[in-house]
Amino acid sequence: MIVAEAVGRALAACGAETVFGVVGSGNFHVTNALIAAGARFVAARHEGGAATMADAYARMSGRAGIVSVHQGPGLTNALTGIAEAAKSRTPLIVLAGEATDRRSNFYVDQDALAAAVGAVPMRVASAEGAWEQAVEAYRVAVEERRTVLLNLPLDVQAMPCDAPARPTPTGGGESGISPAHGEAVEELARLLSRSRRPVFIAGRGARHARRELEALADRVGALLATSAVAKGLFRGSPWDLDVSGGFATPLAAELIRGADLVVGWGCALNMWTTRHGSLIPQEGKVAQVDLDRSALGTHVPVDLGVTGDVAAVATALTEQLTTGGVAPDTTAAGPAGAAGYRSPELARRIQAEGRWRDVPCEDESGGGRIDPRTLTIGLDDVLPIERILSIDSGNFMGYPSMFLDVPDERGFCFTQAFQSIGLGLATAIGAALAQPDRLSVAALGDGGALMGAAELETVVRLGLPMVIVIYDDEAYGAEVHHFGPNGHPLDTVTFPPADLAAIARGHGFAAVTVTTPADLVGVADWLKGGRDRPLLVHAKVTRNRGSWWLEEAFKGH
């Protein structure tokens, strides 16, 4: 066999199951080798879509994502999706052909491109060790939670190569457990034992640890919240505050600010999760637990950092608080007799005020447009709860993030580390393939929808019974509401009406246009039918005001 075939077989032996990409001459053989070894290939219509599909698939499946692209422009087309994955520490391997002759039209410094967006550049430089180099790329992606560019020089790909007699595949799951640091765990146990109002904020690094975190929270009386990427982790708990940060309900913000101890679990505690630090209690303490030591204290000062796997640390703390002589106060009632923040009165408040739809607001629908809050609450009522929700970026993005519930931590895919619009549809495709038993719902703005429209054909070709909701304000709403109040001209960021439902029908979708709540009957009818075609909901939303969470976002620009 040749080197390209060896690389494909090696990655399949490591556990690569699904590969996304656009095939050209430079990645033809490696892609076919993966397919021959049993991997599924998903053809995208644009390399940017392929990279984002692979990213979302990895997030929602717990397996490494694989994307295969042509040399040069194939890689540059994919770069925004690769940047998002790298910033999010998604385990992802990008297979790219490489032109090493500077005279080639396809030549670019691919190593430099990868490094510029935070990915790890690697290369199969010779036939000797090609198999081992592919295995190492997979290991780095999975164990170090990195996005890896594996360059495949065209001349090297064609060299004859022997597979090792006894290849040793690496694991195919998420990163492993690092041992908790004993002294730091003991100090965190002491902080928890003294706390009367603890709040846990769990991030992506805690999505595997619900049971362990809830056991510890029960022991110390903690309330439970998440970052946006871990939305749904504590769904069903009476102490679930949902998302901390810009999407937090008024009640959640009040209770997090009132904490005397905030513990971030696999959570960066960045400016979005803390509302630029305003949710960090001024008189309280902050602790952070993360597998990556460099993440501790990066965004907010912490009183204590613990390096270790979230589940392992939480288990060690529960054991220590139970049997190690460090016991919390038990003067207040609560699960397991814990004190802390929990009380019957607070449980009633969370039940009554804990969802955005419980927050009073005035419906501003009218004039042929629907209030996005009314739209989203109506969708939440009609769509099945076994859903997986993917969000694009833009002025609209808070409405689906805040008003659409998800069943658990595998129900929300949020590719927003790079804040790029146009990734939402591809995200939803990758998520749908990772969780095929759930209804995939894509929430897009009109700008992002048109950017990613090439992948509408992919949805139809794959036969995905997906719902795509477009919040159409006929503008780049973020810019309109950011610059408009200051009197700046807005001709560059506003657009004439487009019949997005007709565009969708042209690709083979069913489609409905929504301007009033009554129009949502079209969604209900689709759900009752055979769902033999995907559905696009073209919602013409009100546009007289901007979103306050986006104003928060502009503070970080």
Side-chain angles (χ1 to χ4, degrees), residues 1 4-19 29-40 131:
M1 64 180 168
E5 293 168 338
V7 170
R9 291 188 193 183
L11 292 173
C14 289
E17 293 183 340
T18 302
V19 184
H29 293 299
V30 69
T31 304
N32 281 337
L34 278 157
I35 296 169
R40 178 186 185 183
W131 185 288

Side-chain angles (χ1 to χ4, degrees), residues 223-426:
L223 304 182
L224 300 164
T226 71
S227 66
V229 293
K231 178 180 172 69
L233 178 60
F234 301 116
R235 182 68 71 242
S237 167
W239 309 108
D240 177 24
L241 302 181
D242 202 35
V243 175
S244 172
F247 299 153
T249 63
L251 177 62
E254 171 194 331
L255 295 173
I256 295 168
R257 285 194 186 104
D260 61 5
L261 173 64
V262 170
V263 186
W265 298 91
C267 175
L269 296 177
N270 60 28
M271 61 183 177
W272 314 119
T273 304
T274 67
R275 282 193 195 172
H276 297 271
S278 67
L279 293 186
I280 298 297
Q282 293 185 356
E283 304 300 325
K285 292 188 177 295
V286 179
Q288 192 176 2
V289 179
D290 203 286
L291 201 59
D292 181 4
R293 182 188 297 272
S294 67
L296 302 176
T298 297
H299 295 280
V300 296
V302 297
D303 298 285
L304 178 65
V306 181
T307 305
D309 174 77
V310 166
V313 173
T315 298
L317 285 163
T318 301
E319 292 174 353
Q320 192 159 127
L321 288 166
T322 303
T323 63
V326 181
D329 191 325
T330 56
T331 56
Y341 230 153
R342 302 180 178 188
S343 70
E345 179 185 357
L346 186 53
R348 286 191 290 271
R349 284 197 68 194
I350 293 172
Q351 177 68 24
E353 305 171 42
R355 301 172 70 198
W356 268 104
R357 65 186 298 157
D358 300 324
V359 178
C361 66
E362 182 179 349
D363 187 351
E364 298 178 352
S365 302
R369 294 189 173 272
I370 187 170
D371 189 313
R373 296 165 297 185
T374 304
L375 165 71
T376 314
I377 291 171
L379 289 168
D380 191 51
D381 288 339
V382 73
L383 294 173
I385 190 58
E386 283 301 313
R387 64 185 70 148
I388 185 164
L389 176 63
S390 300
I391 310 289
D392 210 331
S393 191
N395 182 64
F396 78 96
M397 62 188 289
Y399 299 114
S401 299
M402 294 155 64
F403 289 93
L404 279 176
D405 280 339
V406 294
D408 54 32
E409 74 281 3
R410 297 289 184 189
F412 191 70
C413 199
F414 196 66
T415 48
Q416 297 292 327
F418 199 31
Q419 287 185 265
S420 172
I421 71 170
L423 305 186
L425 178 54

